[in-house]
Amino acid sequence: MGAPAQKYAGIARLLKGEGPDHAGMGIVVGRRHVVTCAHVVNTAISGTPALNQLKHAAEVVIVFPRDAGREKRYGQVIAWSPPGKNPEYDTAVIE
């Protein structure tokens, strides 16, 4: 992987369902984990209100925009802190 690709290696893009529409971004924090906002996960899962408080069991579709293949990956929410009064509570970890 060259230097330009490494610069963006930590970027993950969550999609709305299976389609091409963008739900939000995440940050890769290891070989198998992405940290994002809980409201982004809510947006990614069709029909879910952005301020939903319940942890999701549905898969989230992720692509890595700087990956040459840009193939879809699927992840599960393994940690969930729903949107609340304070922005720091709006987090999710996807594996």
Side-chain angles (χ1 to χ4, degrees):
M1 185 184 310
Q6 288 175 348
K7 179 179 178 181
Y8 300 104
I11 298 174
R13 183 172 170 231
L14 282 74
L15 302 181
K16 289 183 180 179
E18 288 286 334
D21 292 336
H22 176 80
M25 302 301 289
I27 299 171
V28 177
V29 293
R31 293 184 53 85
R32 297 178 51 93
H33 297 97
V34 172
V35 174
T36 189
C37 295
H39 78 268
V40 171
V41 172
N42 286 336
T43 301
I45 297 174
S46 179
T48 305
L51 297 178
N52 172 61
Q53 301 288 302
L54 301 174
K55 181 180 171 189
H56 294 280
E59 288 185 320
V60 179
V61 182
I62 304 168
V63 293
F64 299 95
R66 298 298 181 177
D67 182 17
R70 293 190 186 168
E71 53 185 80
K72 293 178 183 176
R73 311 287 173 125
Y74 298 85
Q76 295 285 331
V77 176
I78 60 166
W80 179 260
S81 180
K85 293 180 182 178
N86 299 318
E88 63 268 18
Y89 297 140
D90 185 8
T91 57
V93 178
I94 302 167
E95 181 177 54

